[in-house]
């Protein structure tokens, strides 16, 4: 999908950004790290790092190295869980996952799949919403 740039912001508004170019369909990740980080399953859309432009507050963005290959970006003012990036993998580092909940209008970009369902919490079931539920990704 290639449309007008998407716009988004963190909860407090300190960080605002635009995402142009191709945007991948939304996915929901049920892995333990995403649930710890975001409070529950984490929904994101994917885009190109080069297409992500900060209109405000890039200096408020903090990165947490969450694994050997990936990092998670959050607002240092309000704690919003904004970005996930496999920045240490050569074939992934140009791509970034952006919290779907922080984007103003996603239009017809709806959830396309659930990933890491084998790692979901035992406190909920993933409802049948007509899209694949994958054990990994
Ligand atoms: Zn914020
Ligand atoms: Zn995850």
């Amino acid at each position: 999908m290639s449309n007008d740039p998407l716009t988004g912001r963190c909860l407090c508004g300190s960080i605002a950004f635009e995402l142009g170019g191709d945007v991948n369909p939304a996915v929901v990740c049920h892995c333990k790290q995403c649930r710890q980080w975001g409070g529950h399953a984490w929904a994101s859309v994917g885009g190109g790092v080069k297409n992500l432009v900060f209109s405000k507050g890039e200096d408020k963005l903090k990165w947490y190295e969450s694994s050997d290959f990936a990092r998670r970006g959050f607002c240092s003012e309000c704690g919003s869980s904004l970005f996930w990036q496999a920045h240490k993998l050569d074939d992934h580092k140009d791509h970034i996952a952006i919290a779907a909940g922080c984007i103003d209008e996603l239009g017809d970009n709806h959830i396309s799949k659930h990933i890491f369902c084998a790692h979901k919490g035992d406190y909920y079931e993933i409802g049948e919403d007509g899209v694949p539920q994958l054990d990994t990704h």
Side-chain angles (χ1 to χ4, degrees):
M1 277 181 274
S2 190
N3 294 307
D4 291 337
L6 298 176
T7 58
R9 67 207 69 244
C10 65
L11 178 60
C12 76
S14 293
I15 297 172
F17 55 85
E18 291 190 359
L19 177 68
D22 291 337
V23 177
N24 294 335
V27 301
V28 181
C29 184
H30 295 265
C31 83
K32 178 70 171 168
Q33 282 201 353
C34 282
R35 291 186 294 108
Q36 285 180 299
W37 188 52
H40 188 46
W42 193 65
S44 65
V45 296
V49 172
K50 69 180 190 323
N51 297 326
L52 178 67
V53 177
F54 289 89
S55 41
K56 194 179 167 193
E58 189 173 4
D59 59 317
K60 303 286 189 189
L61 180 64
K62 288 266 166 50
W63 289 99
Y64 170 66
E65 301 286 324
S66 55
S67 72
D68 290 345
F69 59 91
R71 62 182 185 172
R72 292 169 186 265
F74 62 97
C75 174
S76 59
E77 294 290 332
C78 68
S80 292
S81 305
L82 295 170
F83 306 115
W84 179 92
Q85 184 189 19
H87 65 308
K88 291 187 178 169
L89 299 179
D90 282 343
D91 53 343
H92 285 84
K93 67 184 183 198
D94 297 332
H95 180 267
I96 192 162
I98 300 163
C102 292
I103 293 173
D104 297 323
E105 299 280 349
L106 269 173
D108 57 5
N109 187 339
H110 282 187
I111 288 165
S112 63
K113 61 184 173 181
H114 296 266
I115 62 173
F116 290 101
C117 296
H119 302 271
K120 80 169 187 63
D122 56 10
Y123 59 93
Y124 67 99
E125 300 302 328
I126 304 170
E128 269 303 332
D129 57 2
V131 299
Q133 298 184 7
L134 308 179
D135 278 348
T136 58
H137 65 90

